[in-house]
Amino acid sequence: MGGASSVLSQSPPSVSNLPIILPSNPYNPTPFRLDRTTRFLRSDTRTAMSVSSLPLSSVRCGGSDGLGEEARGSARVVAPELVERLVSDALVWSSLHGLVVGDRSNQRSGKVPGTGLVHAPFALLPMSFPKVYWRQACELAPIFSELVDRVSLDGTFLQESLSRTKKVDAFTHRLLEIHSKMLEINKKEDIRLGLHRSDYMLDAETKSLFQVELNTISSSFPGLSCLVSELHRNLLNHYGKHVGLDSRKVPGNTAVSRYAEALAKAWSEYNNSSAVVMFVVQNEERNMYDQYWLSEVMKEMHGVTTIRKTLAEIDAEGRVSSDGTLTVNGHTVAVVYFRAGYSPSDYPSESEWRARFLMEQSAAIKCPSISYHLVGTKKIQQELAKPNVLERFIDNKDDIAKLRKCFAGLWSLDNEDVVKSAIEKPELYVLKPQREGGGNNIYGDDVRETLFRLKSEGSEELSAYILMQRIFPTASLAYLVREGVCHRGDAISELGIYGAYLRNKDKVIMNDQCGYLMRTKVSSSNEGGVAAGFAVLDSIYLN
Ligand code: ADP
Ligand code: MG
C-alpha cells in the first residue's frame, strides 16, 4: 500500500570502522533456522540488528533457497572498505537516480516535492530466489487478475461474504454501503482497470510458495522497485567478481513502464484526448516519488497528463455531469488512480466519503472500482480459499489448481477447532483484521489474548478478523541500508508480483504480469511494510 514513509528512529552504528564479513555468496542463507518460538518471543523490533551486535567470525553459507539444497560457496572475509564502497556507491546512485522518499525529519517533505529527500531503504545486494518459484508467481498474476474481475461482477457474493464483517467493522460497512448503492442503480463498469500486486512468501517447511495477500488498491512501489533492480545490477556490474555474483541473474523489472502503459491504455479507451488521469493521494505522502515516477513515464512515453488530488479536494472541486463525466477543478477525469482511500485514516470526515461516492457514481474508470477494492479484502481472500468457491468463478481446472496451490491455511473465526488450535499454538497463526497498509496484524501471544478477549465478550467482533496460517521463510544474511546506515542481520523476504488487467466490455486489452517488488525485513520483525518502516526494498537473484 502507499503511505507515509517512516524510517528507523534509532540509528545503529555505521559500518565504517568495523571489520565486515561478507560471504562470497550472500544469497545462501545462514545454516541455522531460528526456532519458531524463539522468533515469536522476540519483540517486534523495528531496529535492524546492528553490525556490531553480530559475531565477527566468518559467515557460513547454507543452501541457496533455504529449502534444503546443498550448501554452496564458502565464506570469504571482505575488507570493510569494500562494504563501505558498496554502500557509498549505492547511496550516490540512489540520489542520482531518484530512488528516494520524503525524509520524515523534514516537515515539508511529505507535501512539497524536492524538499527533504532521503534515499529509500534498500538491501545492499539482491536476495536469492529460486527460479521455479519465481516462474510460479509470475504465472499466477494473470489468473489472479481474471479471478478479481469475475468476483467483482458477483455483487451478491461480495455483500454476503462481508455481511457479518460489516456489522462490526465501520470501515468495511462504509465501503459496502457505496457498493450496495451502485448495485441499486445498476451501475455498470464497462472499462475495468486493475493494477494488482500479489504478495508471496516461501514457506521453508512445506517448500511452498504461499500468497500473503492480494492488493487490489494502491499497490505501491512500481516506481521504486524498478530502481532497486537497476541499483543491484549496477553494483554487481562493478563489484560482482568481488562478491561472487552475476548481474545478469537479477531479472529486469518492468513495473513502472507496464503500469504506466496500462493506465495510458485505459485513458485511451476512455477516448477523450483532453482528459487527465487523476491520482488520488494522501494529504501528506512521503512515498510521493514512487507515484511521480508513474506520472513521469505516462507523460514522457504516452503524452498523458496526470493531476494529483486528495479526497477532500475532490469533494470540494469535483462534479459529475448528467452524462456521468467527472470533472475536478475543470479537468475531465478519464481514470481515477487510487494511491489513498484504503485505510480508515484516509477518511477523517464525511467529505472524503462524499468524494469516494462521487467518483464511484461517475463514468470515469476507477482503479480500483469499489468492487475491485472489496475483492482485495482479507475476508474475501479467506472466502475464496473455502472448498468449491473458486469453481464459482473460474472454469479452467488447471487455473483453479494453480491458485489453490498457493493458498495458505485461511479460516474465519467461526471455525471453533481452529480458534482452539490458535489459542494453544498462537505462534503458528496470524490474526488479521480487515485493514490494509501494514502494522495491523496480530502475532504470537497477542493472538491468544485477542482470541480470549473476543470469545469472552461473546461478541460479533470475531467476524472482523480472519486467521491465517503463519508462513515461515528461511532467514538469510542481508545488509539493509536505511538513512545511510548499513545494518547486517538475518532477514526474510516477501515477493510481490504486479499484474495489470484492462478490459472494455468483452475485450480483454491487457492481462499481464508486470514486474516485481521484493521486500526484505529482519527475521525478528513480524510485519513487512516498507512505507510502514518494517522492511527495505530489494530485488531478486535468480538461481
Ligand atoms: P497489509 O495489508 O497490512 O499489508 P498483509 O497481509 O500483507 O497486510 O500483512 C502485513 C505483513 O505481515 C506482510 O507483509 C508479512 O510480512 C506479514 N504477514 C502477513 N501474513 C503473514 C503470514 N501468514 N505469515 C507470515 N507473515 C505474514
Ligand atoms: Mg501486505
Side-chain angles (χ1 to χ4, degrees):
M1 300 293 120
S5 175
S6 96
V7 287
L8 290 174
S9 48
Q10 283 171 275
S11 295
S14 140
V15 287
S16 50
N17 309 323
L18 287 165
I20 299 296
I21 316 299
L22 191 69
S24 60
N25 182 347
Y27 309 98
N28 294 333
T30 44
F32 59 88
R33 216 188 119 203
L34 285 175
D35 152 56
R36 286 183 182 183
T37 331
T38 329
R39 195 183 294 156
F40 289 117
L41 289 176
R42 291 188 186 176
S43 62
D44 179 9
T45 170
R46 288 186 179 213
T47 49
M49 201 184 284
S50 77
V51 169
S52 57
S53 68
L54 287 160
L56 295 173
S57 56
S58 61
V59 179
R60 262 203 58 211
C61 303
S64 61
D65 57 6
L67 298 169
E69 282 190 26
E70 287 294 304
R72 299 178 203 167
S74 58
R76 186 196 299 167
V77 178
V78 178
E81 296 79 43
L82 179 54
V83 174
E84 241 188 287
R85 268 167 62 197
L86 277 162
V87 171
S88 167
D89 280 15
L91 291 172
V92 171
W93 193 97
S94 305
S95 313
L96 296 180
H97 293 83
L99 178 49
V100 290
V101 293
D103 182 352
R104 205 167 52 149
S105 65
N106 182 316
Q107 278 203 340
R108 296 170 73 216
S109 68
K111 285 192 178 267
V112 188
T115 61
L117 279 63
V118 62
H119 74 90
F122 59 82
L124 190 58
L125 293 164
M127 183 61 97
S128 172
F129 201 83
K131 242 185 226 156
V132 55
Y133 297 109
W134 158 252
R135 288 206 192 100
Q136 185 188 345
C138 291
E139 202 185 349
L140 282 165
I143 309 175
F144 268 116
S145 295
E146 190 63 49
L147 175 68
V148 171
D149 194 64
R150 300 274 175 92
V151 177
S152 78
L153 298 176
D154 193 336
T156 314
F157 173 79
L158 289 173
Q159 286 285 338
E160 280 176 4
S161 303
L162 290 160
S163 61
R164 290 184 55 212
T165 311
K166 178 181 168 180
K167 286 191 194 148
V168 286
D169 187 303
F171 182 61
T172 309
H173 186 104
R174 295 299 301 257
L175 295 175
L176 278 172
E177 236 174 30
I178 296 176
H179 180 252
S180 125
K181 285 187 182 137
M182 295 306 123
L183 290 178
E184 273 165 33
I185 61 169
N186 199 23
K187 180 82 173 56
K188 293 275 178 269
E189 303 292 334
D190 285 340
I191 308 174
R192 303 197 286 278
L193 173 66
L195 295 177
H196 312 311
R197 198 190 67 227
S198 183
D199 293 335
Y200 304 92
M201 280 177 163
L202 269 182
D203 188 56
E205 207 164 284
T206 56
K207 297 183 170 47
S208 302
L209 180 87
F210 283 141
Q211 185 182 52
V212 174
E213 66 158 346
L214 178 65
N215 300 286
T216 58
I217 181 166
S218 195
S219 303
S220 59
F221 295 116
L224 299 192
S225 66
C226 297
L227 291 170
V228 178
S229 309
E230 282 311 305
L231 164 68
H232 285 159
R233 284 172 158 201
N234 178 281
L235 288 175
L236 296 188
N237 278 336
H238 290 277
Y239 299 102
K241 280 201 186 102
H242 302 281
V243 291
L245 299 167
D246 181 350
S247 66
R248 288 168 300 184
K249 291 194 172 184
V250 177
N253 198 342
T254 54
V256 78
S257 58
R258 297 305 315 277
Y259 260 30
E261 180 193 337
L263 283 159
K265 278 186 167 155
W267 172 85
S268 163
E269 288 298 311
Y270 188 82
N271 204 16
N272 176 344
S273 59
S274 61
V276 300
V277 171
M278 178 170 71
F279 283 35
V280 181
V281 295
Q282 291 178 335
N283 196 25
E284 280 200 43
E285 178 57 272
R286 297 209 153 72
N287 197 21
M288 67 168 87
Y289 302 99
D290 181 52
Q291 302 168 357
Y292 278 120
W293 268 110
L294 264 183
S295 328
E296 202 57 27
V297 177
M298 282 162 68
K299 187 169 74 184
E300 297 284 326
M301 303 291 294
H302 305 281
V304 175
T305 302
T306 55
I307 59 170
R308 293 167 66 84
K309 293 285 173 189
T310 63
L311 286 165
E313 286 168 342
I314 294 163
D315 179 46
E317 302 166 13
R319 304 280 174 273
V320 174
S321 61
S322 54
D323 69 351
T325 305
L326 173 68
T327 53
V328 176
N329 198 21
H331 297 283
T332 299
V333 177
V335 183
V336 181
Y337 172 53
F338 285 87
R339 290 298 294 258
Y342 52 83
S343 150
S345 58
D346 290 338
Y347 301 84
S349 71
E350 282 306 305
S351 160
E352 288 77 14
W353 284 113
R354 272 197 306 270
R356 183 77 194 255
F357 185 63
L358 184 87
M359 291 184 282
E360 201 60 39
Q361 273 181 304
S362 80
I365 301 161
K366 275 78 66 180
C367 180
S369 65
I370 193 78
S371 311
Y372 270 36
H373 183 172
L374 290 172
V375 178
T377 56
K378 295 180 170 67
K379 180 65 190 167
I380 296 297
Q381 180 187 11
Q382 176 255 308
E383 285 290 322
L384 290 171
K386 280 184 177 169
N388 301 320
V389 177
L390 284 179
E391 284 78 357
R392 284 176 62 173
F393 303 105
I394 306 251
D395 305 321
N396 185 315
K397 292 216 162 33
D398 288 345
D399 287 350
I400 291 175
K402 282 173 192 163
L403 291 171
R404 200 157 275 144
K405 194 173 166 198
C406 79
F407 288 170
L410 286 154
W411 304 274
S412 83
L413 273 63
D414 293 337
N415 189 325
E416 285 183 16
D417 289 343
V418 174
V419 171
K420 193 163 158 259
S421 164
I423 287 172
E424 279 164 14
K425 292 184 179 149
E427 69 279 7
L428 300 183
Y429 296 86
V430 181
L431 185 59
K432 298 190 175 187
Q434 304 305 305
R435 289 289 174 273
E436 304 293 330
N440 302 300
N441 297 337
I442 299 168
Y443 303 86
D445 287 342
D446 293 342
V447 171
R448 177 184 286 137
E449 279 158 33
T450 310
L451 289 175
F452 267 138
R453 182 175 58 77
L454 294 174
K455 270 170 77 85
S456 67
E457 286 168 6
S459 67
E460 284 272 339
E461 282 271 325
L462 287 165
S463 10
Y465 296 85
I466 62 157
L467 269 170
M468 184 171 181
Q469 166 194 350
R470 177 132 189 185
I471 309 163
F472 291 97
T474 305
S476 313
L477 181 70
Y479 294 79
L480 314 180
V481 185
R482 272 188 183 276
E483 293 185 320
V485 180
C486 183
H487 316 267
R488 196 182 81 174
D490 285 327
I492 54 175
S493 297
E494 182 171 349
L495 174 70
I497 300 287
Y498 295 102
Y501 185 89
L502 175 66
R503 78 184 285 156
N504 191 345
K505 298 188 180 146
D506 289 340
K507 190 168 154 220
V508 177
I509 297 159
M510 188 170 175
N511 184 12
D512 292 329
Q513 176 270 113
C514 295
Y516 65 95
L517 167 72
M518 189 73 157
R519 285 173 297 174
T520 294
K521 60 175 182 175
V522 282
S523 53
S524 53
S525 166
N526 291 321
E527 286 282 335
V530 175
F534 301 109
V536 301
L537 300 170
D538 204 343
S539 70
I540 60 181
Y541 191 83
L542 289 178
N543 54 36

